[in-house]
Amino acid sequence: MSGLLQIMIRLCAAFSALFLFSCTVKEDRGGCPCHLVLDMSMVLDTETTHPSLWNDGLKLSILTQGSFAAGSDYKYGEVPLELEYSVSRGEATVFAVMGVERGQVSGSRYMLPEGADPDPLFAFSRSVDCSGEEALVTLGMFKQFARVTVLGLDSLDTRLVVAAPFAGLDLTTCSALPGKLRFPLEKDEDGAYRFRLPRQGDDSVSILMYEADGQPEGSLPLGKYLKEAGYDWGAESLTDLSVTIDRMSVSVSISIEGWNNSFESPITI
């Protein structure tokens, strides 16, 4: 009888183990959070993001189901190689911005005030599948402005102002937001005008010319020339460019960084 009892005890233990195992396998983990890991190594690469861009720090945010889930502001030297978050299952949006000096960040929007010189803005945005137990994202900051050099206008006794209908950035998509972009240009010692031009949503940007008494003298449809030259405002990182105005031949030439040739077009001033 004792032997039979031992067999029954062993069978009960085996069935119990099998039952527990089957419950573990079939357990619904849909309600468990996703372990989201952010690889920050590229952001910390000083060749990509120079320490000078960290004046106002790095602003990092995570959205899940359209609502703020996590994030923080980081100063230079405070960011670890990896950041870890627990977020709800589903689609998440990770976005970050740095280089903010004169503009303002509110939620997922960045706006530059009218009259302010554009910031050296770098941003990152990714939609992440967090439906599993773990997700990994490598952040890399991308240039949201073009450095523009304008040559050939040094002999003009006029005041130059850049004007455009886009002055902001949707940080969740890195796309241009409508706003009144307007700022004056200052001539460098070599006679060139150098400025940062934020990401634009169309070809409306222009350089307005004013006489000493403030009367309008003319304008240069810079956006039109850039469109004809094939400049890509939708690029992940915007490239720099040089614009040369030849008043003798009444033409403009545009050289885009990385291109081997330049674009030329007749102009009317």
Side-chain angles (χ1 to χ4, degrees):
M1 180 66 69
S2 61
L4 180 60
L5 181 59
Q6 290 179 358
I7 293 175
M8 292 179 65
I9 292 174
R10 290 173 182 173
L11 287 174
C12 288
F15 279 117
S16 297
L18 180 60
F19 176 76
L20 289 174
F21 176 76
S22 63
C23 288
T24 302
V25 171
K26 295 180 180 179
E27 181 183 0
D28 182 10
R29 299 182 59 82
C32 298
C34 173
H35 181 218
L36 177 60
V37 179
L38 306 184
D39 181 351
M40 307 296 290
S41 57
M42 290 182 63
V43 178
L44 297 173
D45 182 359
T46 55
E47 292 186 4
T48 304
T49 55
H50 193 272
S52 63
L53 296 173
W54 293 76
N55 290 340
D56 198 42
L58 171 74
K59 300 180 184 298
L60 174 68
S61 298
I62 301 173
L63 299 180
T64 57
Q65 301 176 356
S67 300
F68 178 82
S72 186
D73 293 357
Y74 295 95
K75 297 297 183 182
Y76 184 70
E78 296 180 356
V79 186
L81 285 174
E82 285 189 352
L83 294 172
E84 300 182 15
Y85 297 93
S86 291
V87 299
S88 58
R89 297 288 183 98
E91 195 78 8
T93 300
V94 178
F95 63 90
V97 62
M98 65 190 309
V100 178
E101 296 177 359
R102 303 168 186 85
Q104 297 178 341
V105 175
S106 177
S108 61
R109 294 166 58 92
Y110 163 88
M111 292 300 298
L112 181 72
E114 181 182 355
D117 289 337
D119 291 332
L121 204 68
F122 282 73
F124 171 89
S125 175
R126 285 290 184 277
S127 293
V128 187
D129 181 8
C130 292
S131 58
E133 294 188 6
E134 185 170 281
L136 172 66
V137 179
T138 300
L139 270 74
M141 307 304 288
F142 302 102
K143 192 157 71 76
Q144 304 301 311
F145 66 96
R147 293 185 181 90
V148 182
T149 301
V150 177
L151 305 170
L153 297 179
D154 52 306
S155 62
L156 294 179
D157 186 19
T158 57
R159 183 170 62 91
L160 303 183
V161 175
V162 174
F166 294 90
L169 195 72
D170 182 338
L171 299 177
T172 64
T173 60
C174 287
S175 56
L177 286 178
K180 194 168 184 179
L181 181 71
R182 194 179 182 92
F183 59 94
L185 297 182
E186 296 292 336
K187 191 185 331 184
D188 290 346
E189 293 182 357
D190 60 357
Y193 291 89
R194 295 180 174 89
F195 58 94
R196 288 186 288 263
L197 185 59
R199 185 181 294 276
Q200 296 295 294
D202 62 21
D203 57 348
S204 300
V205 60
S206 60
I207 298 178
L208 308 180
M209 301 179 179
Y210 294 90
E211 297 178 358
D213 59 1
Q215 293 297 314
E217 184 178 347
S219 66
L220 287 171
L222 179 60
K224 173 188 173 183
Y225 299 145
L226 294 180
K227 181 179 179 181
E228 293 178 357
Y231 191 81
D232 183 11
W233 285 114
E236 194 167 42
S237 269
L238 297 179
T239 51
D240 300 334
L241 58 108
S242 178
V243 181
T244 302
I245 309 296
D246 189 337
R247 299 181 65 213
M248 295 296 293
S249 61
V250 197
S251 66
V252 58
S253 62
I254 297 177
S255 178
I256 300 174
E257 185 180 85
W259 286 27
N260 294 324
N261 57 344
S262 61
F263 164 83
E264 295 187 3
S265 174
I267 63 170
T268 300
I269 300 179

